[in-house]
Each structure stands twice: as structure tokens, then as C-alpha cells.
């Protein structure tokens, strides 16, 4: 089995606001697990990064750290059952639920696709039928929130973000637009002194579910609310794993299970089954993510009372084709094996993805055809540009491109090549290095993070391919950039002095740089 990763950038149709934050753009990592020519997919969002350890740098580092374990997995082998694999991954990723979820979902998806069956069937579930999602209305002005509802009339329920439960004007205005039930979400931001007096009014306005009104630590407040509320109250931030279920059973009427937050489909399925046994209200939800993640989530939809998977409708751009929602929120799963998700690297939601060699050469030609070799944030080699590199079409070669609105604006390549003689790196085993070649970005995206996204993804792809070290020759002008990204500088072969760079014909002075993939 081979695992790889790519970055994507997701933009909402409307700026997404809750009581906690505003989210203009969400960065995300798509994980692909491939075996016997078949691929499964998972996703890890860069969201609430401090709480979930889900910053891009951290998630890439965690993926690289799991590379040795991933190389040993066979989802169809004797040790490939989902629970065993999940426990092995969880032991490596105890504080990284999103990365764990992405890997777990990708492996479940791969297993189902290898079997040629839908994901729900490989999970031992009944086929989900007549699924409908609620529609989420982010926090905004009263006029804007009413406008969002008018854009999506006829849904089975509306999930409304509120900054203050006592501010009933928003709900009164929305009630003029629809007879559908309201589910209101406090995202940990409400105060009991404001919520408790408002409960009768909320009930009269058709609120039929309250989600996570208080902070996770406010267990006493949650228990008191459960005793008096005429409206069921469900946990979201308070339920992060099966270990939280006992406390949530005493403090809430139900739980909202999000596979990405729970650490994957494996624990999410266990949580939903346990919640049903306890008689709890169940909701199945999602984080800010694309069809790559939520398409798998929807396959659990037959187990829950409420489904909240409208995230693909909220996106202005996506990463591919997966589950779909009609005009009133009916959910349709793709008629394909696994989750049914099919990536689309031409979609504007992609920011770094794999490309054929000629696409990477085209980007480098645009950069180096109009600028001196040492002016860009990248490096050159001494092979003629028009001829490319001898390994461009080798099966082990990886070409990556950064996109801006679907157009390649940066590129880098990775070749399975050990450092040249005389560049001795400690503890490097033969065949465990990747050569970083042709890093280039167009002027229009310099300083936007496109180069960092390329380099970050290249390091992760190299590690997942089994590399221990990445190396390359970089111009003096770019030396500080690579040092900032954790690369060390090594002198050239003796008797050349340590501080003297190599002068590449037609490219100028270059330094040998390297860094571990761990």
C-alpha cells in the first residue's frame, strides 16, 4: 500500500461565522491510500488548530511520522481489520485526531473499493435511505441570515448559529420564512443566565434541538440544563472520543458525532452504536471539509436521528465529486464503490496536487524564461531546461504543482536519487533519499505561501514514499528560505572548502541543502 497527501484550499459561498470565529478560507489535507491500482481517500482540515493540533505544519509532520507504520499495512491482509489498524494508528497519533481520521477514512474507503462495494456495506451497515440534511446558517446580520434561508427554501431543518440565545429577533425573522424546525448552535459561547430564561421562547419559536451551548469544561451547567430544558440539548465540543460518552450521557440528551473530530470512521461508528444503546439523540456532522471527507461520513447516515452534511452545499469550490444534495437537502450517495468520492485536480479548491512532468516543466519554463536563475524562491540544476530531467518519467518520480484558481503557478519535483559522492549524511541508508528539483513559483504568488505549501507537501510525499532525507542544490539567494524550512547546508566535496558553493554552469553558485523527513 502506498499513501500520499496533497493540500487544498476551501472557500465558502458566504463568510462562515459562529459565536467562536469567522472562517474565510479553510486549508485542508487530502490523504490518498493506493493498493493494486485502487485508491481510497480521507481528509484532515486545518481548523481550530491549537485545540485539535491541526495546523498544516503539524499535520504534515504527523503524516511523515506515521510513514514507517503505513508501509507495513495491508488492508486486505490477516492483520488488516479496521479495529486493529485503527489502534495501531491511534498509538502513533494520540494527539492528532484529524490526521488519524484522514488515514482511517482513507483505509476504510480503500478496503471497500478493493471489495467493490459501497462503504456502508463494508462497514456492515444497512443501506442509508431517505437521508436529508439540515441547512446551516452562519452568524451574520439579521438581513443576511434571512437571505441565506431564502436561498435554500424547503429544507427539513435549519441549523442556526447564534451569538446570544436571548436575541430572539433573528429566530423570529427566520420563522417568517419557514415552518421547518430550528436547531440552534452556541459553539460553547453562551451563558446560563441568558439561555435559561429564553428556553420557553425558543421552544415556542420551533427550536427542536440545542447544540453545545456552554464550554466543554462547564459540566455542572450542562447537567443542570439537561434537567430543566424542554428542548433536547446535544454535545458537540464535549464529545471528542468514546471516552467522553459516559460524561455526556449524564450532561446531555444526545451527541453530535463528527468522524474527523472523533479520529475517524472506526471510533465514530462505535460512538453512534453506543449512543443508540443508551437511548441518546444522535446527530452526524462534519467539520469545515470537502467532499473528500464528508462523502465517507454520509455512509453512516442511516444510524442517526439528525444529519448535518450540508458542507458541500456551503462551499464555493470543492476538491472533487462525491455525495450530492438536491435543492431541499436530500442526500444522494454516488453509485460507486467505497465513499464514491472522485478527486478533481482541476477544481479551484486544489492548492497543491500531483501533475504530469510536462506540467511542472511548463511552470519552470515560465519562471526561468523571464527571470535570472537566482531571483526565484527555488533552485536550478545543471541539466538543460528544455530537456527536463532524465528521471522525469520514472515511476518513482513525483511532480507537484501549486494552483491559483485552477492554474499552475508553482512546481517542484522529487527524484529517487541519493546524494552525490562526497556528500555524506549521517545514518542515511542507500535508496532512502529524494532529490528536490526545480522548485519554482511565479512572481504573482511570491509571498502568498504557495512555495511553502509546495515544499511542505513535497517533504510529506517523500516521507510517505519511504524517504528519510530530502536534498537539493539551491542558489545563494534562496538559502535563507530553505533554512527557514528546516534545511541544513552542507559544504561541497573535499578538497573544496566547506563554505564555498558549487558553481553550476549557466545557473551560478549553488549550495547543497538537506533535511530529514521526520
Amino acid at each position: 500500500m502506498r499513501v500520499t497527501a496533497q493540500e487544498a484550499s476551501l472557500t465558502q459561498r458566504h463568510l462562515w461565522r459562529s459565536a467562536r470565529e469567522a472562517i474565510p478560507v479553510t486549508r485542508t489535507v487530502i490523504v490518498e491510500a493506493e493498493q493494486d491500482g485502487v485508491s481510497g481517500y480521507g481528509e484532515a482540515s486545518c481548523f481550530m488548530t491549537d485545540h485539535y493540533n491541526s495546523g498544516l505544519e503539524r499535520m504534515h509532520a504527523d503524516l511523515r511520522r506515521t510513514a514507517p507504520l503505513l508501509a507495513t499495512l495491508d488492508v486486505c491482509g490477516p492483520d488488516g481489520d479496521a479495529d486493529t489498524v485503527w489502534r495501531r494508528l491511534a498509538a502513533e497519533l494520540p494527539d492528532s485526531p484529524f490526521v488519524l481520521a484522514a488515514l482511517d477514512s482513507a483505509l476504510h474507503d480503500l478496503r471497500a473499493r478493493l471489495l467493490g462495494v459501497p462503504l456502508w456495506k463494508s462497514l456492515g451497515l444497512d443501506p442509508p435511505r431517505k437521508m436529508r440534511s439540515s441547512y446551516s446558517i452562519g452568524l451574520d446580520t439579521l438581513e443576511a441570515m434571512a437571505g441565506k434561508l431564502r436561498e435554500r427554501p424547503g429544507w427539513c431543518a435549519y441549523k442556526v448559529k447564534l451569538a446570544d440565545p436571548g436575541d430572539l429577533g433573528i429566530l423570529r425573522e427566520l420563522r417568517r420564512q419557514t415552518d421547518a424546525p430550528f436547531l440552534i448552535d452556541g459553539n460553547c459561547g453562551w451563558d446560563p443566565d441568558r439561555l435559561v430564561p429564553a428556553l420557553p421562547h425558543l421552544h415556542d419559536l420551533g427550536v427542536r434541538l440545542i447544540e453545545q451551548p456552554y464550554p466543554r469544561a462547564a459540566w455542572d451547567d450542562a447537567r443542570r440544563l439537561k434537567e430543566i430544558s424542554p428542548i433536547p440539548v446535544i454535545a458537540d465540543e464535549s464529545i471528542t472520543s468514546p471516552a467522553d460518552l459516559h460524561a455526556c450521557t449524564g450532561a446531555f440528551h444526545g451527541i453530535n458525532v463528527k468522524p474527523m473530530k472523533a479520529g475517524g470512521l472506526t471510533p465514530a461508528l462505535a460512538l453512534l452504536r453506543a449512543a443508540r444503546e443508551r437511548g441518546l439523540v444522535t446527530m452526524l456532522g462534519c467539520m469545515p471539509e470537502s467532499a473528500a471527507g464528508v462523502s465517507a461520513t454520509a455512509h453512516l447516515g442511516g444510524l442517526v436521528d439528525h444529519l448535518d452534511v450540508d458542507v458541500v452545499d456551503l462551499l464555493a469550490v470543492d476538491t472533487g465529486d462525491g455525495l450530492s444534495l438536491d435543492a431541499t437537502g436530500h442526500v444522494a450517495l454516488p453509485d460507486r464503490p467505497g465513499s464514491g468520492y472522485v478527486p478533481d485536480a482541476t477544481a479551484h479548491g486544489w492548492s497543491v496536487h500531483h501533475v504530469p512532468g510536462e506540467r511542472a516543466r511548463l511552470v519552470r519554463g515560465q519562471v526561468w524564461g523571464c527571470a535570472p536563475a537566482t531571483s526565484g524562491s527555488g533552485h536550478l540544476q545543471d541539466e538543460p531546461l528544455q530537456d527536463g530531467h532524465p528521471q522525469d518519467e520514472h515511476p518513482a518520480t513525483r511532480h507537484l504543482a501549486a494552483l491559483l484558481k485552477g492554474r499552475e503557478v508553482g512546481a517542484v519535483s522529487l527524484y529517487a536519487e541519493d546524494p552525490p559522492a562526497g556528500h555524506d549524511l549521517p545514518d542515511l541508508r542507500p535508496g532512502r533519499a529524494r532529490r528536490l528539483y526545480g522548485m519554482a513559483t511565479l512572481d504573482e504568488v511570491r509571498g502568498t505561501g504557495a512555495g511553502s505549501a509546495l515544499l511542505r507537501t513535497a517533504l510529506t510525499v517523500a516521507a510517505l514514499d519511504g524517504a528519510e532525507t530530502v536534498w537539493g542544490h539551491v542558489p545563494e539567494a534562496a538559502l535563507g528560505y530553505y533554512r527557514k524550512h528546516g534545511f541544513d547546508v552542507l559544504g561541497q566535496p573535499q578538497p573544496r572548502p566547506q563554505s564555498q558553493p558549487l558553481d553550476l554552469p549557466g545557473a551560478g553558485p549553488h549550495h547543497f541543502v538537506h533535511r530529514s523527513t521526520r
Side-chain angles (χ1 to χ4, degrees), residues 235-315:
D236 181 358
E237 286 81 358
S238 291
I239 183 77
T240 57
S241 74
D244 295 322
L245 186 59
H246 179 71
C248 286
T249 301
F252 296 91
H253 299 96
I255 59 173
N256 182 0
V257 176
K258 299 177 178 179
M260 190 182 295
K261 181 179 64 177
L265 296 174
T266 300
L269 187 55
L271 267 173
L272 289 173
R273 284 172 167 158
R276 286 166 64 102
E277 290 175 0
R278 295 175 181 229
L280 296 175
V281 177
T282 53
M283 175 183 282
L284 184 64
C286 52
M287 309 300 278
E289 57 192 270
S290 75
V294 75
S295 294
T297 296
H299 282 257
L300 308 183
L303 295 176
V304 299
D305 302 305
H306 302 277
L307 191 60
D308 182 32
V309 292
D310 63 330
V311 66
V312 293
D313 186 81
L314 299 174
L315 290 174

Side-chain angles (χ1 to χ4, degrees), residues 175-510:
R175 179 52 67 213
R176 296 187 184 99
Q177 311 284 336
T178 181
D179 294 327
F182 292 143
L183 322 176
I184 60 173
D185 189 355
N187 284 118
C188 304
W190 296 347
D191 187 280
D193 291 341
R194 294 290 292 167
L195 174 57
V196 172
L199 287 172
H201 306 290
L202 294 172
H203 187 270
D204 291 344
L205 284 167
V207 173
R208 295 297 175 256
L209 205 66
I210 298 173
E211 183 176 340
Q212 195 69 44
Y214 306 144
R216 173 181 166 86
W219 291 102
D220 290 341
D221 288 336
R223 282 188 286 268
R224 284 191 289 268
L225 180 63
K226 179 183 179 181
E227 293 175 358
I228 64 171
S229 178
I231 305 167
V233 184
I234 66 169
D236 181 358
E237 286 81 358
S238 291
I239 183 77
T240 57
S241 74
D244 295 322
L245 186 59
H246 179 71
C248 286
T249 301
F252 296 91
H253 299 96
I255 59 173
N256 182 0
V257 176
K258 299 177 178 179
M260 190 182 295
K261 181 179 64 177
L265 296 174
T266 300
L269 187 55
L271 267 173
L272 289 173
R273 284 172 167 158
R276 286 166 64 102
E277 290 175 0
R278 295 175 181 229
L280 296 175
V281 177
T282 53
M283 175 183 282
L284 184 64
C286 52
M287 309 300 278
E289 57 192 270
S290 75
V294 75
S295 294
T297 296
H299 282 257
L300 308 183
L303 295 176
V304 299
D305 302 305
H306 302 277
L307 191 60
D308 182 32
V309 292
D310 63 330
V311 66
V312 293
D313 186 81
L314 299 174
L315 290 174
V317 295
D318 210 331
T319 60
D321 179 51
L323 91 162
S324 60
L325 301 170
D326 72 6
T328 58
H330 288 87
V331 179
L333 298 176
D335 186 19
R336 294 186 287 265
S339 71
Y341 169 75
V342 177
D344 179 7
T346 67
H348 290 182
W350 287 100
S351 55
V352 176
H353 70 107
H354 293 265
V355 294
E358 61 267 21
R359 302 302 300 173
R361 289 194 293 272
L362 179 62
V363 174
R364 289 195 278 266
Q366 293 179 68
V367 174
W368 298 333
C370 60
T374 59
S375 68
S377 63
H379 62 265
L380 285 171
Q381 315 300 52
D382 50 352
E383 291 86 353
L385 176 63
Q386 63 270 22
D387 295 335
H389 189 280
Q391 292 194 47
D392 270 352
E393 307 308 322
H394 191 279
T397 296
R398 308 283 176 249
H399 302 286
L400 298 168
L403 269 69
L404 177 67
K405 297 181 180 178
R407 176 172 54 90
E408 285 98 346
V409 293
V412 69
S413 299
L414 287 163
Y415 302 125
E417 183 179 340
D418 286 338
H423 294 73
D424 297 324
L425 300 178
D427 303 321
L428 177 62
R429 293 180 289 174
R432 295 291 183 141
R434 291 296 184 273
R435 183 183 185 184
L436 196 68
Y437 175 86
M439 175 85 170
T441 54
L442 299 182
D443 284 336
E444 65 188 282
V445 294
R446 301 263 168 82
T448 65
S452 295
L454 271 171
L455 196 53
R456 186 167 50 233
T457 306
L459 287 166
T460 299
V461 168
L464 293 172
D465 276 347
E468 299 169 354
T469 293
V470 171
W471 67 274
H473 290 117
V474 306
E476 290 193 37
L479 207 52
Y481 175 82
Y482 283 88
R483 281 183 170 136
K484 183 181 74 173
H485 285 85
F487 282 78
D488 293 322
V489 182
L490 189 72
Q492 299 303 319
Q494 299 299 324
R496 186 184 300 273
Q498 284 274 335
S499 60
Q500 184 174 337
L502 176 67
D503 190 20
L504 295 179
H510 278 59

Side-chain angles (χ1 to χ4, degrees), residues 1 3 29-34 39-45 63 70 73 75 82 85-86 89 93 96-114 118-120 122-123 258-269 284-287 289-300 337-341:
M1 186 182 68
V3 178
V29 176
I30 309 296
V31 172
E32 177 182 357
E34 184 270 334
S39 291
Y41 300 90
E43 183 171 5
S45 295
L63 282 169
L70 294 172
L73 298 180
V75 296
V85 170
W86 186 85
L89 288 169
L93 298 164
S96 301
F98 289 9
V99 173
L100 177 59
L103 291 169
D104 181 64
S105 295
L107 297 180
H108 272 292
D109 191 20
L110 173 61
R111 185 182 292 106
R113 294 182 194 232
L114 288 169
L119 183 56
W120 58 262
S122 71
L123 293 171
K258 299 177 178 179
M260 190 182 295
K261 181 179 64 177
L265 296 174
T266 300
L269 187 55
L284 184 64
C286 52
M287 309 300 278
E289 57 192 270
S290 75
V294 75
S295 294
T297 296
H299 282 257
L300 308 183
S339 71
Y341 169 75

